[in-house]
């Protein structure tokens, strides 16, 4: 059996009872470490915290393990129970869907244990989930690569009055271009895109495209460490959010579409005042 188990968004306590029971039935436990991040990270101390809870050792699964060495993981699942732990919900990333497809083609039974993900947790700001359009990803720009495919999707969402969730780039165990050219992989330090960088890039693309999909005055909501005890949620214009320090990762951004009065009432809890501070407490968990 291959179990794919969502861990939720906060810390080790967010695993469900069903998920915890499944973990305890498994001989081998992998934890995926590149599409998201738990609040306490996946350092040696972080892994130790999880191992104490589960009573079993964990194997860190980076991008290479999942995308290039998945056959080895699936081979283990053909003869024993294997758990694959995912921050958030198992189907928050297409990589995990691919793992399910490959397992089922090999005749391996798969059980999925769901959990909270960024896709539904953003509802805490009051913007109704059914009023969201297509989700977009904002990648880190480089000197030679500045993609803008997300722009058209945001424009289409806003034309329909829909909100847009922007997932911000995570770069974990990425080989440097220079090392690839030399034929020997050397990895760059981990990088997590901030709301500030995302807005800078969004405004840069608007300057190039000039189709008024949004502007520095467009209302947005910035989220940091969503689902954690110290989560930060701030609503304001792009220009306002650009000046704030949202602190540690992970960050995401919502570009607000047409709002309902009930949504406006909830957003007031998170809005910035004229002095750049929030009007009310934003500590809703």
């Amino acid at each position: 059996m291959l179990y794919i188990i969502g861990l939720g968004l906060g810390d080790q306590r967010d695993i469900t009872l069903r998920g915890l029971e499944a973990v305890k039935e498994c001989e081998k436990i992998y934890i995926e470490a590149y599409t998201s991040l738990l609040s306490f990270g996946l350092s040696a101390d972080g892994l130790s915290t999880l191992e104490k809870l589960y009573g079993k050792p964990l194997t860190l699964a980076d991008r290479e393990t999942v995308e290039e060495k998945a056959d080895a993981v699936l081979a283990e699942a053909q003869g024993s129970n294997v758990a694959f732990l995912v921050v958030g919900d198992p189907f928050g990333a297409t990589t995990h869907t691919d793992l399910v497809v490959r397992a089922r083609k090999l005749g391996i039974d798969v059980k999925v244990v769901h959990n909270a993900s960024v896709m539904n947790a953003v509802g805490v700001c009051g913007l109704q989930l059914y009023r969201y359009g297509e989700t977009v990803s904002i990648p880190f720009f480089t000197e030679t690569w500045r993609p803008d495919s997300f722009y058209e999707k945001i424009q289409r969402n806003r034309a329909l009055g829909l909100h847009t969730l922007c997932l911000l780039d995570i770069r974990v165990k990425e080989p440097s271009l220079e090392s690839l050219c030399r034929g020997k992989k050397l990895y760059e330090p981990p990088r997590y895109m901030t709301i500030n960088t995302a807005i800078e890039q969004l405004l840069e693309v608007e300057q190039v495209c000039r189709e008024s999909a949004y502007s520095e005055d467009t209302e947005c909501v910035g989220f940091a460490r969503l689902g954690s005890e110290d989560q930060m949620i701030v609503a304001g214009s792009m220009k306002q959010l650009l000046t704030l320090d949202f602190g540690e990762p992970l960050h995401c951004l919502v570009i607000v579409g047409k709002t309902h009065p009930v949504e406006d009432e909830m957003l007031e809890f998170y809005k910035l005042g004229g002095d750049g501070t929030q009007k009310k407490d934003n500590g809703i968990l």
Side-chain angles (χ1 to χ4, degrees):
M1 177 76 72
L2 174 65
Y3 289 93
I4 304 184
I5 301 168
L7 296 180
L9 295 173
D11 57 29
Q12 73 277 10
R13 297 171 298 172
D14 284 354
I15 191 171
T16 64
L17 289 174
R18 181 175 294 175
L20 187 57
E21 289 171 357
V23 166
K24 291 182 180 297
E25 293 178 5
C26 293
E27 285 77 42
K28 188 67 175 287
I29 305 166
Y30 291 91
I31 181 165
E32 183 263 299
Y34 68 90
T35 63
S36 193
L37 182 74
L38 284 171
S39 62
F40 55 79
L42 289 177
S43 63
D45 288 342
L47 283 178
S48 176
T49 299
L50 292 176
E51 288 174 338
K52 286 178 183 177
L53 176 63
Y54 304 152
K56 296 185 178 182
L58 298 182
T59 299
L60 209 57
D62 57 24
R63 185 184 296 274
E64 289 181 4
T65 300
V66 180
E67 295 184 353
E68 300 175 17
K69 303 175 184 177
D71 290 343
V73 176
L74 296 176
E76 291 175 325
Q78 287 181 310
S80 62
N81 290 334
V82 174
F84 191 79
L85 310 183
V86 178
V87 178
D89 185 81
F91 294 119
T94 54
T95 297
H96 311 132
T97 303
D98 178 66
L99 195 61
V100 171
V101 170
R102 294 175 66 175
R104 286 182 171 162
K105 285 182 176 179
L106 291 171
I108 300 169
D109 289 332
V110 178
K111 283 190 177 180
V112 176
V113 182
H114 293 285
N115 211 319
S117 78
V118 65
M119 305 295 285
N120 57 16
V122 291
V124 69
C125 73
L127 297 175
Q128 298 299 307
L129 296 179
Y130 65 85
R131 296 173 63 86
Y132 278 76
E134 184 175 357
T135 297
V136 303
S137 296
I138 311 295
F140 276 114
F141 285 177
T142 69
E143 292 183 7
T144 57
W145 189 64
R146 309 179 91 74
D148 60 7
S149 58
F150 54 79
Y151 183 83
E152 184 179 344
K153 296 174 183 178
I154 296 171
Q155 186 179 44
R156 189 161 56 240
N157 286 347
R158 288 181 57 76
L160 295 171
L162 302 176
H163 316 308
T164 305
L165 171 60
C166 302
L167 300 178
L168 310 188
D169 203 0
I170 297 173
R171 308 282 291 178
V172 179
K173 202 175 180 183
E174 296 287 342
S176 67
L177 180 60
E178 182 180 355
S179 71
L180 288 176
C181 292
R182 293 179 176 179
K184 184 179 180 180
K185 287 184 179 179
L186 294 175
Y187 299 101
E188 298 177 343
R191 287 196 298 158
Y192 306 95
M193 184 180 287
T194 64
I195 290 164
N196 316 76
T197 297
I199 291 174
E200 288 173 355
Q201 293 187 178
L202 284 163
L203 292 176
E204 177 184 322
V205 171
E206 175 58 52
Q207 285 293 311
V208 173
C209 296
R210 294 188 177 277
E211 295 184 18
S212 301
Y214 48 80
S215 72
E216 64 177 14
D217 296 317
T218 297
E219 186 172 15
C220 296
V221 185
F223 301 83
R225 301 168 301 284
L226 188 58
S228 301
E229 294 289 346
D230 66 340
Q231 70 177 10
M232 181 176 179
I233 306 169
V234 184
S237 68
M238 285 190 178
K239 184 178 181 180
Q240 288 176 314
L241 299 189
L242 194 57
T243 65
L244 298 181
D245 180 1
F246 282 85
E248 295 297 311
L250 294 172
H251 296 184
C252 65
L253 179 73
V254 169
I255 300 174
V256 180
K258 185 177 180 181
T259 54
H260 183 276
V262 175
E263 292 178 300
D264 289 332
E265 188 174 7
M266 188 70 168
L267 274 181
E268 281 297 318
F269 285 97
Y270 302 101
K271 282 190 175 178
L272 290 168
D275 60 354
T277 60
Q278 281 189 292
K279 297 176 182 179
K280 301 178 182 180
D281 176 34
N282 75 343
I284 298 176
L285 282 170

